[in-house]
Amino acid sequence: MSTFRVEPQLLADKSALVVGVGGLGCPAALALVRAGVGRVVLCDDDRVEAANLHRQILFDERDVGRPKLDAAFDTLRARGGTEAGILRVHGRLLPDTARALVRDVDVVLEGSDNFATKFLAADACQLEQRAVVHGAAIRWHGTAWLVPPGGAPCYRCLFEDVPAGAQQGCSEAGVMGPVVGFLGALMADLALRWLTGDASAAGSILSYDGKRDRLRTTAVPARRDCPLCGQRRIAELIESAYVSGICTA
Ligand SMILES: [Zn+2]
């Protein structure tokens, strides 16, 4: 039987920022560490909750109440990560820190479940010319897509701005553990391909339907009037106004 894996030496000098160590970030971070990515930065400010254990695979019952990053660090260390290769940023991705965090890595994996963080990650990555993999999952559905540095299409080509009013998150709508696990692994797949020179996934959004066993690839057209990557650029995109109710899947 043959096996395939990315040669570790290709990834030893690469780095990734995982925004949100939840249902998407847990499997994504594990895949990155196991693949040999030299520096994996985790960003989260939550504690482990029993109700989320079904999808947050880096944690178990003994971790309930602990900061997620500490529990994730222990699990990733036990599964092959080095102490120097797993960094913890205890806090949310916020406008005053986002650009510096993004600037310091080769790729960003954004798996938060709120639009404020998603837009902030998209804006920071565009301004700092960094690749970003966006992931989202709810109930039986999920999406993942890669936006290359300075990329068009970008997140704002598809979702123009932070929607007004209350948003339904994972805690209210629910999400299936296997679906979010699959999407987290898919995010890592896109990131690893990018880190090893394969940008073929850029420009398309991958949509998974866990009830119909269907993975669709849909091209996202870049909008000429996109405020982030198009001609109608807004002057200052990192604004505190869109940071509200940030949480992670
Ligand atoms: Zn755009």
Side-chain angles (χ1 to χ4, degrees):
M1 189 175 75
S2 64
T3 58
F4 175 81
R5 64 189 297 239
V6 177
E7 291 300 322
Q9 62 267 27
L10 290 177
L11 295 167
D13 65 345
K14 302 296 185 185
S15 55
L17 169 66
V18 178
V19 179
V21 185
L24 295 166
C26 280
L30 178 60
L32 296 175
V33 168
R34 294 294 279 177
V37 174
R39 186 163 50 91
V40 176
V41 186
L42 310 174
C43 179
D44 201 300
D45 72 335
D46 265 344
R47 292 178 180 270
V48 177
E49 296 181 33
N52 299 337
L53 292 179
H54 73 105
R55 65 179 186 269
Q56 297 181 358
I57 61 168
L58 294 180
F59 317 131
D60 63 26
E61 285 76 5
R62 292 167 296 184
D63 295 317
V64 172
R66 295 181 69 197
K68 277 197 213 169
L69 294 195
D70 294 345
F73 178 84
D74 290 345
T75 302
L76 293 171
R77 284 280 288 122
R79 298 188 188 177
T82 65
E83 184 158 353
I86 305 165
L87 304 180
R88 289 165 279 185
V89 178
H90 288 275
R92 300 173 179 182
L93 191 73
L94 293 173
D96 58 346
T97 57
R99 290 187 66 166
L101 286 171
V102 161
R103 189 186 308 138
D104 194 41
V105 295
D106 297 306
V107 66
V108 175
L109 293 86
E110 175 279 303
S112 72
D113 78 343
N114 66 89
F115 282 109
T117 303
K118 290 179 179 298
F119 278 93
L120 177 57
D123 294 350
C125 287
Q126 176 81 17
L127 293 171
E128 295 297 336
Q129 296 285 300
R130 288 295 183 271
V132 54
V133 177
H134 294 288
I138 200 158
R139 301 191 186 95
W140 294 88
H141 295 87
T143 58
W145 61 315
L146 165 71
V147 177
C154 76
Y155 197 79
R156 285 185 185 267
C157 288
L158 199 57
F159 308 101
E160 193 163 351
D161 208 342
V162 180
Q167 301 157 31
Q168 200 175 37
C170 292
S171 55
E172 300 85 35
V175 62
M176 294 302 297
V179 171
V180 79
F182 176 78
L183 265 300
L186 193 54
M187 290 172 69
D189 176 82
L190 293 171
L192 290 170
R193 285 166 58 190
W194 167 257
L195 289 174
T196 53
D198 176 3
S200 61
S204 296
I205 188 167
L206 302 171
S207 307
Y208 179 64
D209 182 336
K211 275 193 170 178
R212 294 185 173 82
D213 308 321
R214 188 177 299 165
L215 182 65
R216 289 192 307 167
T217 303
T218 307
V220 179
R223 288 194 298 116
R224 284 173 55 85
D225 63 346
C226 173
L228 187 57
C229 73
Q231 295 174 341
R232 188 172 63 84
R233 291 174 186 266
I234 51 181
E236 184 51 76
L237 293 160
I238 304 291
E239 300 165 353
S240 60
Y242 59 1
V243 177
S244 61
I246 289 176
C247 60
T248 57

